[in-house]
Amino acid sequence: MYNSISISLGEMVLKGKNRGQFEKKLTNQINKVIKKKGLSLYRDRGKIFIDTENDIDELIKDIKNIFGIVYVTPCFKTGREFEEISQSVIRLMEWKRENGDIKTFKILSKRADKSYPFKSMDLNRDLGGVVLKHFGDLKVDVHNPDVTINVDLRSQCYLYTEKYKGTGGLPLGTNGEGLVLLSGGIDSPVAAYMMARRGVKLNCVTFHAYPFTSERANDKVRTLTERLAVFCGQINLYYVNMLDIYTEIRKHCPEDQTTIIARRFMMRIGEKIANDREFDFLITGESLGQVASQTAKSLGVIDSSVNLPILRPLIGMDKTEIIEISRNIGTYEDSILPYEDCCSVFSPKHPQTKPRKDRIELSEEKIDIWALIDDAINKMEIEKIQ
């Protein structure tokens, strides 16, 4: 029945002179999906449309995951003459009745083109009269109808009865490029998703301590990155072995400082990777007070190890909120698989929650920090995740 898909844009419609840049990013990402199917898009008074009668459900599923889209709607495209609209409304109602028990209806018109001779209220009344005349058993219910036929008047007329919520946000690449410190836990994939939803192009770095950590831990991170790539496209994933760094920390530093010093190493490594590749910032999944390394004091000491901005989209969220998002984006079940990462393997029994920067720096003086970092980066592995 449907022969078109309409795409409603999100907050980018509020942009000023740079709105075109946002729309160009979005249309490029939509085209990556539809060109494989031999389709093309066009604009009609603020919305994007794709004409097709094939695989509409599959196409909607793919398109609604693109950031910057608030709704994807299957439509029946028809002409603007009242008779054409009337006949199309009847056809759509017949089709809906074949697929469900419908006793009440409502017509809801919207004129994006204000030059159309009928006002919306008049069109609602006249089209409702056509339906009542053709279907003698139907009744109008403006408050709780079994079906609402929406009439969207633009340069063409588009009829629809349901719409599917998109991911919203801003198109990828409109807010720079970041490096996510991605563990195998619940939080960091959610943080990555939330920043991608704000238009950030993602890259990820994960830290392991093979052979003390299992190869399955890296497989788990790879799977989580693949889940994110559904929304974000290709992601570069950097694997960094921290074993030599942890060995030196445990040899020369107090045990209760291990977590903070190791975290400072991770930040420095992330910053060097980011600077070498001209990424704009680091992204982490920390939530204030969740664990010892995420207290206000700890975060301050960790942040002081780098100059690059660190974005923490989960900082004010509680665990239940984070878990809900992880379930929605499909990362939760993989995140809870019991494969330990290097942070948990080398975690001290009683980590500091109120570290002092001067004492941490004094301990770090016993370690050749940059030689260890350079060695870890030289041995780093890189994988492109589609």
Side-chain angles (χ1 to χ4, degrees), residues 180-208:
V180 184
L181 277 65
L182 187 68
S183 72
I186 295 170
D187 301 340
S188 55
V190 173
Y193 170 84
M194 291 180 68
M195 293 313 304
R197 190 170 177 267
R198 298 309 304 161
V200 175
K201 187 179 186 306
L202 296 184
N203 304 272
C204 299
V205 57
T206 188
F207 300 94
H208 64 93

Side-chain angles (χ1 to χ4, degrees), residues 42 138 162 177 220 235-236 247 297 305 321 358:
Y42 62 94
L138 288 181
E162 61 271 313
E177 192 165 1
K220 176 182 176 180
I235 299 174
N236 293 320
T247 301
K297 290 283 188 183
S305 63
E321 293 173 313
D358 58 340

Side-chain angles (χ1 to χ4, degrees), residues 189-258:
V190 173
Y193 170 84
M194 291 180 68
M195 293 313 304
R197 190 170 177 267
R198 298 309 304 161
V200 175
K201 187 179 186 306
L202 296 184
N203 304 272
C204 299
V205 57
T206 188
F207 300 94
H208 64 93
Y210 183 81
F212 281 84
T213 55
S214 166
E215 287 186 1
R216 289 186 176 182
N218 280 352
D219 292 340
K220 176 182 176 180
V221 172
R222 182 184 296 107
T223 300
L224 289 169
T225 309
E226 288 171 351
R227 303 284 187 220
L228 292 170
V230 171
F231 303 95
C232 308
Q234 179 177 293
I235 299 174
N236 293 320
L237 177 58
Y238 304 91
Y239 299 90
V240 177
N241 193 322
M242 289 278 289
L243 181 57
D244 291 343
I245 293 172
Y246 271 109
T247 301
E248 289 297 300
I249 293 173
R250 297 186 74 174
K251 185 187 297 184
H252 298 290
C253 305
E255 182 185 5
D256 62 353
Q257 294 181 352
T258 300

Side-chain angles (χ1 to χ4, degrees), residues 165-178:
K165 193 172 182 180
T167 52
L170 296 169
L172 281 172
T174 56
N175 260 327
E177 192 165 1

Side-chain angles (χ1 to χ4, degrees), residues 97 102-104 132 134-139:
R97 281 164 64 90
I102 295 173
K103 296 179 180 178
T104 59
L132 290 171
H134 189 86
F135 302 95
D137 58 332
L138 288 181
K139 293 182 179 180

Side-chain angles (χ1 to χ4, degrees), residues 50 268 329:
I50 303 164
R268 292 184 179 113
I329 65 176

Side-chain angles (χ1 to χ4, degrees), residues 374-385:
D374 289 340
D375 184 60
I377 289 178
N378 288 336
K379 295 175 181 177
M380 175 176 69
E381 297 179 5
I382 306 172
E383 184 176 4
K384 294 184 183 297
I385 305 295

Side-chain angles (χ1 to χ4, degrees), residues 279-295:
F279 302 155
D280 300 295
F281 35 71
L282 303 178
I283 301 165
T284 73
E286 289 149 329
S287 173
L288 189 62
Q290 190 175 123
V291 294
S293 64
Q294 296 177 22
T295 64

